Structure formats: structure tokens, C-alpha cells
Amino acid sequence: MQRWLPLLAFATLAVLLFAGVRLSGQRDPNALPSPLVGRQAPAFALPDFRNPERIVTNADLLGAPYLLNVWGSWCPTCRYEHPIITEIAEQGLVKVVGYNYKDEPEDARRWLQQFGDPYALIIVDRDGRRAIDWGIYGAPETFLVDARGKVIFKHAGPVTWDIVREKLVPLLQKEAAP
Amino acid sequence: MTRLLLALLIALSAATALAIEPLPFRDAAEEARFRALIAELRCVMCQSQSLADSNSMIASDLRREVFDLMQQGRSDAEIKDFLVERYSEFVLYRPPLNPTTWLLWFAPALILLGGAIALVRVMRRRAAALDPTAPRGPANQDTPEDW
């Protein structure tokens, strides 16, 4: 038994490391779990991108679920996920609200002109202070908020079709059929 | 030569100075408290660095937030709770000691202990094998003469 011990220890370690490699391929190990899921969305009062005089609050968004997509013109990965976000909006899966994070209005305008503007509404967080309440630490990040204002899903990183299929669609179906 | 090395060492030690932007502290005590606090919070983007060390944009924003919370009169525990509520316990650079983190805290010591025990046993066995007065039995067959 003694002579098998080193081999056993090595085999255990190998299995653990292999499992770790497989797991990290499935989800980003650096993405933080969001303590916001299951809680009411944080209160905010931020200007409307298209009409900066108008202030948008949580109350304005109650009544229907929405996808909050955090983006900025400075964020390269946002360009990769933008076609998917656009498709979600165009297919009418859910209302898509843009959260313009730490951006300059002119740069954001140009970015939307270049890559398309599928957002039903865009709210602007210029200095990123309100974003801290959402636990946002970069872009892209995406939240799914239900009709009653509760956060039911958060994803840090670009939205992929897998996430749409496996997470967003089931959650939205559950929302639609109580 | 040693003078040059010493000078270099002193110069390089300044490189570990905090990468923070100047903030309007009221006094040295407040600044000391701020520095202690940000050394215990993790940069959520560059996750192996504390808020004190990180240059990233979110670290700068969070330092500003910690400063504002301090100005509002919140205690260290309240500030940490504020951030944990938003970013999860991962934002604490020094993990709290509770049942979930018990293994994280004690695993290195346990592994060291396990290694030490294994080493002692191997050494004992070797010593017994080399000892000519030990009773010769099946376990003690591999003495030097047998090679």
C-alpha cells in the first residue's frame, strides 16, 4: 500500500487540476458572483442619453422586464457582443436598456452611429458613481431585471448566444407565464 | 559598490508607494485610516491587487467611494459591509474567518504539518534500515550490503 501512495496522490491531484481546467472553460473564473441577484435593483436617477434634461428613475422602468446592458465606447469587447444585443432587441425578446458607463457623450454618439443603436432607452452614468450600487466593475456587463424591479440575473463579460439560450430565455419565459 | 546598491534599493522602495491620487484628507489620522482600509479591500478588476496597489479605473472609483463614505462618518465595518453588499465577500482582501473560509486559512499549515509527518516517518524508516543492531526482518532487508 505504501508504494502506491505517491501514485495515488499524483492521480488525485491530476484529477483535481483537470476538473479545474474544464470548469474554467465553462465560466469565467474571474467573474464575481453578484449579491444583487434576488434583490431589488438599486435606486437611480440618471439622465436619458437622447434627452439629457429628462431624468430616468427605477419607477419609470417598472411594469415590464428589461435587460440592462452596461457599455462604453472605450470598451472593445462591447463591440463583439453588440450584434447579439441588437438581435435580442430586434427579435423583441425583452426591452433592452443601455447603461452608458464612464463615457463621453460625443464618443458614445459616434459609437452608436458606427455599430447601431438597438436600445429602447439609454441612461448615462458619466462618472460611474451609480454603477457602484449595481456592483458594476467594468464593461460589458448585463443585468436582467423583472417587471417588479427585482434583479434576476447578472452576467459580467460579453453576452453570448449560449447565455441567451440557457439563461435569458428560460428566465424570461418564467416571467411571462407566472 | 555597496553604496550604489543601497541607493538603488532606497530609490526602488519608493516604487511601492501607493498609486493613489491625492485626496483632501482632514488630518494624518484620517489618511492613515484610509490607507489601512484600502489595503484590506480587493481591486475587483485586477483581482490579485488591493485597492491601494491597483491603477485600474474601478479601483480609483472605489477609492473615491471609500473616501466619501469616510467623510459621511461611516465606520470601517460599515464601509466594508457597503462594498460586500455590492461586490460580494470577494471584495475583502483579507478573507473573514468563518466556516466557509476555514480551509482557506488553515490548509497551508495543515499541508505543512502533513509533509513534516511524512518526512519524519521516512527518516525514521531510513534510520532503522541503516542501523546494524536493529532486528533483521523482512522490513529491514534493503541494507547497503544488499545493493
Side-chain angles (χ1 to χ4, degrees):
Chain A
M1 181 54 199
Q2 293 277 11
R3 55 194 5 213
W4 291 109
L5 208 56
L7 183 62
L8 205 65
F10 172 76
T12 315
L13 205 60
V15 164
L16 282 173
L17 292 176
F18 183 68
V21 167
R22 290 303 299 270
L23 277 176
S24 69
Q26 286 167 7
R27 44 161 266 276
D28 181 4
N30 289 330
L32 292 184
S34 175
L36 256 77
V37 177
R39 297 212 315 246
Q40 285 297 111
F44 62 83
L46 294 171
D48 179 350
F49 181 77
R50 299 183 186 116
N51 180 10
E53 313 258 291
R54 175 181 159 226
I55 302 291
V56 182
T57 67
N58 309 56
D60 298 327
L61 292 172
L62 288 173
Y66 63 94
L67 198 73
L68 188 76
N69 177 235
V70 180
W71 66 277
S73 61
W74 45 267
C75 157
T77 319
C78 298
R79 303 181 188 193
Y80 290 124
E81 80 163 359
H82 202 60
I84 300 179
I85 302 290
T86 306
E87 188 70 20
I88 292 174
E90 284 177 2
Q91 280 187 19
L93 254 101
V94 65
K95 178 162 76 175
V96 181
V97 175
Y99 190 103
N100 189 227
Y101 177 53
K102 302 213 74 163
D103 211 351
E104 296 294 320
E106 260 321 297
D107 296 339
R109 218 177 308 271
R110 245 176 287 134
W111 193 91
L112 289 169
Q113 264 169 1
Q114 187 177 356
F115 296 102
D117 181 359
Y119 298 110
L121 168 71
I122 302 174
I123 50 182
V124 182
D125 187 353
R126 190 106 180 243
D127 58 13
R129 303 293 285 276
R130 280 289 64 78
I132 292 177
D133 285 337
W134 286 84
I136 294 170
Y137 57 95
E141 290 190 12
T142 303
F143 297 80
L144 186 61
V145 182
D146 73 9
R148 284 164 301 280
K150 187 169 74 165
V151 176
I152 53 179
F153 175 74
K154 181 207 170 161
H155 180 69
V159 169
T160 62
W161 283 121
D162 282 344
I163 291 173
V164 175
R165 258 198 319 266
E166 291 163 22
K167 299 274 158 65
L168 295 178
V169 169
L171 284 169
L172 286 166
Q173 280 173 346
K174 233 178 6 174
E175 257 291 287
Chain B
M1 187 58 190
T2 41
R3 284 249 200 99
L4 181 62
L5 283 173
L6 193 63
L8 263 175
L9 201 66
I10 292 173
L12 286 172
S13 70
T16 59
L18 297 174
I20 62 173
E21 48 289 305
L23 287 166
F25 297 111
R26 281 191 280 249
D27 51 36
E30 191 176 61
E31 182 170 2
R33 183 184 160 210
F34 177 76
R35 287 184 181 221
L37 205 49
I38 60 176
E40 298 220 334
L41 293 167
R42 188 189 303 269
C43 169
V44 286
M45 181 63 96
C46 311
Q47 295 169 350
S48 54
Q49 290 183 305
S50 68
L51 277 189
D53 298 329
S54 175
N55 282 329
S56 69
M57 190 166 71
I58 185 73
S60 172
D61 288 350
L62 286 175
R63 282 193 293 264
R64 183 83 222 192
E65 191 70 20
V66 168
F67 179 74
D68 288 345
L69 290 169
M70 272 175 59
Q71 299 287 36
Q72 286 173 24
R74 309 239 194 156
S75 72
D76 284 6
E78 284 175 335
I79 294 175
K80 287 186 183 171
D81 283 343
F82 180 91
L83 289 175
V84 167
E85 232 177 53
R86 286 153 178 76
Y87 290 97
S88 86
E89 273 200 353
F90 194 68
V91 78
L92 299 174
Y93 205 50
R94 181 197 302 273
L97 185 59
N98 58 41
T100 23
T101 59
W102 191 90
L103 199 61
L104 177 68
W105 275 100
F106 295 118
L110 287 174
I111 293 174
L112 193 67
L113 195 65
I117 292 174
L119 189 68
V120 163
R121 289 182 60 190
V122 165
M123 281 171 58
R124 287 245 183 91
R125 212 175 331 126
R126 287 264 182 82
L130 291 173
D131 179 2
T133 65
R136 303 278 241 119
N140 294 344
Q141 286 308 322
D142 52 346
T143 54
E145 296 93 89
D146 292 348
W147 289 87

